[in-house]
Amino acid sequence: MLLLYGRIRLHSNYANSMDIDTRKEQLDQRINSAARRAGRDPSEIRLLAVSKTRSACTIRTLASLGQKAFGENYLQEALDKIQQLADLELEWHFIGQIQRNKTAAVAANFDWVQSIDRLIIAERLSAQRPTDKKAINVCIQVRMSQETGKGGVLPEDLLPLAEAINSLPGIVMRGLMAIPENTTDPEKQKMAFREMYRLYSILKRQYDSVDTLSMGMSGDFGLAIAEGSTMIRVGTALFGPRDYIKEKVK
Ligand SMILES: *Cc1c(COP(=O)(O)O)cnc(C)c1O
């Protein structure tokens, strides 16, 4: 699948590499103005480039423009790219759902895992983190809607899970990650982000290591920044539309 994909995408990647720097520049400007509108310092907001379905070549181009943090959802696809890009000092974030039998590969290859919603996954990452590596950074994913299948812990279960995770060696609890409900109602979105910020503030008061509220994607990062996000995860607005067929197959 990956091989096939590589061949199909090669040409369009070359065509696109001309304007990815323009896209990056425009995105940086939009982040800056969203921060300023919210009365925040733009340097408080980190950009995670969500590179699922994008080729190693495209990631390399973006890395040459100064982008170092990349987010991936699919383990095998990510491992291929991490290997191909091992000569660059990139920071890899796993943001997809983790299966229990895949934690060793995640622990060995990623710097961050943002999609923790069960203690067993954190325990396995802790036990399997190679001892020659720094502790792995984790965020707890909070479920923000009734939609099933997206993962995430319910808000009422957050604090006990955080306490258990915080005591594990080999792991640093950095904060929370949220994928909001698919809604076009900005008022609803705002309330969901606000609730996330409230939970984040509680956690931050309790744990010194907590400094990350990962929320906001291509369609809603301005609002997320206004509501206190410290890390936005952007794919489409940076790389252009994703290949839908590729995502279906994965
Ligand atoms: C794909 C994805 C994103 C990026 O979505 P865009 O709308 O393309 O910016 C962010 N977070 C997660 C968890 C994702 O799976």
Side-chain angles (χ1 to χ4, degrees):
M1 182 58 214
L2 268 179
L3 263 182
L4 181 66
Y5 173 66
R7 249 181 276 133
I8 291 169
R9 289 294 287 209
L10 209 52
H11 296 99
S12 61
N13 274 332
Y14 278 121
N16 278 341
S17 68
M18 291 293 283
D19 52 351
I20 196 159
D21 51 342
T22 312
R23 281 214 197 87
K24 171 73 165 68
E25 213 174 286
Q26 283 174 353
L27 179 61
D28 286 343
Q29 276 170 17
R30 288 175 64 198
I31 295 168
N32 283 353
S33 54
R36 263 185 261 108
R37 268 199 310 278
R40 301 182 61 194
D41 183 340
S43 70
E44 288 171 22
I45 296 127
R46 290 193 72 195
L47 171 62
L48 180 70
V50 177
S51 47
K52 62 181 173 214
T53 79
R54 317 296 175 172
S55 70
C57 164
T58 303
I59 296 173
R60 192 175 284 281
T61 305
L62 195 55
S64 76
L65 300 170
Q67 179 64 32
K68 297 296 175 210
F70 291 87
E72 292 280 339
N73 297 57
Y74 310 106
L75 184 60
Q76 193 51 55
E77 177 192 331
L79 294 178
D80 291 342
K81 288 187 259 185
I82 290 171
Q83 195 184 8
Q84 288 176 61
L85 297 165
D87 58 307
L88 304 176
E89 300 241 312
L90 302 180
E91 183 184 288
W92 293 99
H93 294 233
F94 193 77
I95 60 173
Q97 287 186 28
I98 308 184
Q99 290 161 291
R100 189 193 280 237
N101 63 344
K102 302 285 170 60
T103 50
V106 173
N109 290 282
F110 284 81
D111 304 292
W112 286 66
V113 178
Q114 297 202 10
S115 42
I116 300 286
D117 60 0
R118 288 178 291 160
L119 183 57
I120 181 71
I121 301 295
E123 285 173 341
R124 291 176 66 94
L125 291 173
S126 165
Q128 292 166 334
R129 182 68 168 173
T131 48
D132 62 333
K133 295 204 163 188
K134 282 194 291 186
I136 193 163
N137 300 288
V138 303
C139 289
I140 299 175
Q141 184 179 342
V142 178
R143 178 177 302 190
M144 308 207 52
S145 71
Q146 305 313 312
E147 287 174 53
T148 51
K150 277 191 179 167
V153 66
L154 293 171
E156 56 263 39
D157 299 328
L158 172 63
L159 292 179
L161 179 61
E163 193 179 333
I165 288 176
N166 188 58
S167 69
L168 295 171
I171 278 191
V172 184
M173 186 170 61
R174 298 295 294 268
L176 301 180
M177 189 268 261
I179 308 174
E181 190 177 358
N182 217 339
T183 172
T184 47
D185 179 351
E187 202 53 35
K188 249 176 126 173
Q189 240 168 357
K190 193 163 89 183
M191 295 326 285
F193 286 150
R194 206 160 277 188
E195 173 62 7
M196 280 301 300
Y197 186 76
R198 191 183 70 82
L199 295 170
Y200 167 66
S201 303
I202 294 171
L203 213 62
K204 194 170 159 60
R205 272 199 298 275
Q206 288 188 21
Y207 303 101
D208 288 342
S209 60
V210 168
D211 61 0
T212 301
L213 177 55
S214 171
M215 65 181 189
M217 314 199 291
S218 291
D220 57 15
F221 68 79
L223 196 54
I225 288 170
E227 296 301 328
S229 169
T230 72
M231 186 184 291
I232 59 172
R233 308 181 308 270
V234 179
T236 314
L238 200 45
F239 296 105
R242 270 187 298 277
D243 184 334
Y244 174 69
I245 295 166
K246 171 95 190 320
E247 278 211 87
K248 276 290 266 207
V249 170
K250 277 282 165 182

